[in-house]
Amino acid sequence: QVQLEESGGGLVQPGGSLRLSCATSTNIFNFYVMGWYRQAPGKLREVVAQVTPAGATNYADSVNDRATISRDSAKNTMSLLMDNLKPDDTAVYYCNAYDIRATTRYDLWGQGTQVTVSS
């Protein structure tokens, strides 16, 4: 089974930047959509950004001009760079992956990393 592990969360001041990383146990980028989701207290889990095997990216409207998702195939890592962070960005951020070859979508998740934006 593919293992996902997030890192890079922490406390950041409003307007600051943060880079989150997701390490994968094997090279899966050729067949898996990779993404970042987040869940804030009292809210549903929502997608933040995704990147397809072909390299196409998609961002939530709330972060579309402040986030960049990328992959490093040599290191089997996926990253999310967020700029101009806001208190509303506070949430647990989860690494996500699913195999585009599967007939039924099955999501793989990391354990999550806490991001807190506060002064």
Side-chain angles (χ1 to χ4, degrees):
Q1 183 178 356
V2 176
Q3 305 287 320
L4 306 176
E5 183 176 1
E6 304 96 336
S7 63
L11 177 62
V12 185
Q13 294 184 339
S17 300
L18 192 67
R19 182 183 295 274
L20 304 179
S21 295
C22 174
T24 65
S25 57
T26 60
N27 190 339
I28 61 174
F29 296 157
N30 285 344
F31 304 111
Y32 282 70
V33 173
M34 306 297 300
W36 288 95
Y37 289 69
R38 67 185 182 187
Q39 187 166 25
K43 295 185 177 181
L44 298 175
R45 187 172 298 188
E46 63 178 1
V47 64
V48 178
Q50 292 178 306
V51 57
T52 71
T57 57
N58 181 61
Y59 300 94
D61 289 342
S62 58
V63 304
N64 67 83
D65 58 346
R66 302 185 296 116
T68 302
I69 190 170
S70 61
R71 301 170 297 177
D72 188 333
S73 297
K75 297 181 179 180
N76 293 336
T77 59
M78 176 192 64
S79 297
L80 179 70
L81 174 63
M82 296 191 66
D83 299 316
N84 192 24
L85 287 161
K86 306 174 181 180
D88 284 347
D89 293 321
T90 296
V92 177
Y93 284 70
Y94 297 91
C95 181
N96 168 266
Y98 65 89
D99 193 338
I100 62 171
R101 301 168 298 181
T103 57
T104 301
R105 174 170 168 170
Y106 182 83
D107 289 279
L108 303 175
W109 300 95
Q111 291 299 308
T113 184
Q114 177 70 48
V115 173
T116 302
V117 183
S118 176
S119 60

